[in-house]
Amino acid sequence: MTTVRAPRAPRPVILTDSADLTDPLELLTDVLVIGGGPAATWSAIAAAEAGASVVLVDKGHCGSSGVAATSGVGHWLVAPEVARRDEEIGRRERAGAFLTDRTWTDATLDVAWDRTAELPGWGWERRGVRGANRLFGTGPADRAFNGPAPDYLRFLRGKVKKSGVVVLDHSPALELLVDAAGVVSGARGYQRQVGRAWAVGAGAVVLATGGTTWKSHSLGGDVNTGDGHLMGAEVGAHLSSMEFSNFYGMVPFGTSMDKNGFFVHASYWDHTGAPIEYADLHVSRAELLSASTQGTITAQFTQFTPDLWPQLRAAMPNFFMVTDKLGVNPFTERFPIDWVNEGTVRGTGGLHVLDRSGTVGVPGLYAAGDVAARDRIVGAATGAGGPNLSWAIASGTWSGTSAARFARGAGTAGHRHGLTPAALTRTGTIGLHRAGPGTDERAWRSVVAATQAELLPITKSAFRSAASLTSTLTVLDRAWAAAPETLTGRGATEIRTREAAGMLAMGRWASRAALARTESRGMHTRTDHPDQDPHQTHRLLTGGLDEVWVAVDPELPVTGPQPVPALTGATS
Amino acid sequence: MIEILDVDRCTECDICVRICPTNVFDAVEGGVPVIARHSDCQTCFQCEAYCPADAIFVAPSRIPLRPGSPMADGDALRAAGQLGLYRDRVGWRTTPGAAAVTAAAEPGAGVAADQPSASPTVSSTPPTPPTAPLPSSSVDYHRLVETLHRSTP
């Protein structure tokens, strides 16, 4: 038998690309990927490797948009050795308060391990030895993947384009399209720099739109506004672990620089100068957040000896660029810090993925990266950069492969490529244009402001109670009911109203799930239920639009080999 | 947030317009891009990294600076070698370029290709950080930031 090279991916078909901008750009493709970060690009690469034609649409610019491009590339890479895996996964299980599933974590680490090994063959060159991998305590057999963040995403963009994928930048998606049988078959959106609508008919769609941070100005995170979650819910997808949606990142005071790698073991003092004790900043930051409600707290990276400072500076060029601009030396002086809400980016909630095909349970629709829940990997504690990046590779690869297979006909009655966008049905509910001129700027800005006022302040979001959550839901539910009048933009404004709708929807799911978890676990702190409840060692699903429901996930955590300890309220 | 787009250094390549994740810039036909939507800036520093001419300075504040802030003084920032600082730190500055022309005598400017700048000191006096006394209050933290930046010291 002859060895045959995988055929180069076919090109999508351009149906309409008119000089008249009142005509939408229309394309036909096997796979449509919505998003442009690591999960989206890995998904597009996998789909192209599987022989599918691929279109990728990014709200911003694929390669510079999203939190990974701005933040870092330190993947969680663990060698496929039983002892190392047990040690690393066990640590995440305890930190995640035993809501995780080690079969998923193992599978994620396998894909991340294998795929990152291919990068040098694709032309990636590591940007020199930064030394950070040794400092973060990886094992001697573990491979580290380091480098400045913009390099990695710029490289992935190049690989995506070389794979034959058509990339549309500054082309946010607004709603999914379905065929007569309800199978997800494309999407429509708007090209904000060109000034025209776009529509894609696709055999399958991958949502890789990132988490939601409610425009808190976390580093690179303002583009992540829940659009993908809303689109998925509108066709019937569910969400998981939405109560783990309120992680806060430390930043030098007044900045966006929430690189927390060195913050997690730093020293802190409250506004009187008294030291603040804390347990585990990966699990919960309640001690620091609580002190912050009383006044400005300060930090200092006292955990490192001076001989390490040069390589630490080189390991986080973005963080030290900021402190240099501020005229602060974080190693030698106490500097004031405050917080940015990192929502479901460092939180773990998102679209519920049913299995490792990446399906969300709706035919033709898959999810990858931070838009998906990562609770099976990290549970109630933050994934932060490492696990999220490895999850992006794994879930991106699973979803891209599955989407390609679905689109090209395996398992369905023949190849579905060929449905023109005009023949499809729109599925969007709120935040989209209806008729007439559309609502004005003040209307959507006030919805965004009202949503942020409920979700961003640490007094409301970090420390929850039945009373505060109920009050928040009253505000958000009222805004939702009024949305058909307040959030109906046209043209480029439809992007704004849809973002406002996404943030509002995410706020409602997060708050309802938080109300349902009547305990404190990981990042979810209930002042009215301060202890961890061993009877709530399960994950919570949520969904619905006008009526939001919350239910216990029948799929149980898979942890071990140690038995889950009888929990008395102490966090691990 | 982005504060400086140096029109003398700008070569009108429009890369900043293309790569800004939140579409802050508008390209200008035959001219230098404008900061059209400053309030959409998310302080992600990508433009400062991507600008090949070291024409951009992004202040670390995630909210607008108070009037008269030294981090909005383009001449002082350029003289101090602050424009394009992030580009230098991620190792994308391939030639000494404009940074060395205006700051040739300063050590640390004009870093050679692919050598991350490991020096812990900025090449000259960094901009003065805000000197207002740190507030101490039980007010919500995000409003606290606004109060700090908008109060007169």
Side-chain angles (χ1 to χ4, degrees), chain A residues 171-187:
Chain A
S171 298
L174 293 170
E175 65 184 320
L176 294 175
L177 306 172
V178 295
D179 70 7
V183 179
V184 175
S185 304

Side-chain angles (χ1 to χ4, degrees), chain A residues 135-425:
Chain A
L135 297 166
F136 286 120
T138 55
D142 292 343
R143 189 198 307 139
F145 179 61
N146 284 324
D151 272 307
Y152 177 49
L153 268 302
R154 192 171 71 167
F155 174 83
L156 287 174
R157 176 191 175 90
K159 176 63 179 172
V160 159
K161 298 198 81 176
K162 280 190 280 195
S163 301
V165 174
V166 167
V167 174
L168 301 182
D169 297 305
H170 294 288
S171 298
L174 293 170
E175 65 184 320
L176 294 175
L177 306 172
V178 295
D179 70 7
V183 179
V184 175
S185 304
R188 73 157 184 103
Y190 192 81
Q191 296 199 293
R192 62 188 179 186
Q193 289 194 343
V194 175
R196 69 174 164 185
W198 63 261
V200 171
V205 177
V206 179
L207 290 168
T209 49
T212 299
T213 56
W214 294 283
K215 288 195 186 278
S216 64
H217 307 325
S218 66
L219 192 66
D222 280 2
V223 294
N224 299 133
T225 48
D227 318 354
H229 302 83
L230 180 55
M231 287 191 277
E234 285 168 335
V235 296
H238 300 161
L239 300 101
S240 179
S241 291
M242 280 304 299
E243 67 275 31
F244 303 115
S245 51
N246 61 339
F247 205 78
Y248 280 83
M250 289 81 89
V251 295
F253 197 94
T255 70
S256 60
M257 190 47 64
D258 59 347
K259 284 286 288 178
N260 275 196
F262 301 154
F263 272 121
V264 290
H265 296 293
S267 298
Y268 297 89
W269 298 265
D270 68 19
H271 71 284
T272 71
I276 308 172
E277 301 297 318
Y278 57 84
D280 184 345
L281 297 182
H282 286 295
V283 176
S284 168
R285 295 169 175 195
E287 305 94 333
L288 304 181
L289 289 161
S290 174
S292 289
T293 62
Q294 305 306 311
T296 308
I297 72 175
T298 51
Q300 185 178 343
F301 297 163
T302 54
Q303 68 269 41
F304 301 115
T305 51
D307 58 298
L308 295 175
W309 295 350
Q311 57 187 350
L312 296 171
R313 286 183 52 90
M316 276 194 197
N318 44 12
F319 184 86
F320 290 95
M321 173 266 300
V322 162
T323 54
D324 285 350
K325 286 179 176 178
L326 294 172
V328 163
N329 184 331
F331 298 118
T332 62
E333 46 186 297
R334 296 183 193 181
F335 60 99
I337 66 163
D338 77 312
W339 303 91
V340 288
N341 184 302
E342 294 168 332
T344 66
V345 170
R346 279 219 178 96
T348 64
L351 290 175
H352 181 52
V353 168
L354 270 59
D355 58 38
R356 290 192 288 279
S357 72
T359 180
V360 297
V362 177
L365 189 62
Y366 303 85
D370 288 356
V371 74
R374 284 130 290 145
D375 44 7
R376 292 186 185 97
I377 313 300
V378 282
T382 181
N388 281 1
L389 281 167
S390 296
W391 167 255
I393 300 182
S395 58
T397 300
W398 293 329
S399 64
T401 307
S402 306
R405 185 179 307 128
F406 185 85
R408 293 181 70 75
T412 67
H415 192 179
R416 298 185 51 250
H417 184 118
L419 282 172
T420 64
L424 300 169
T425 305

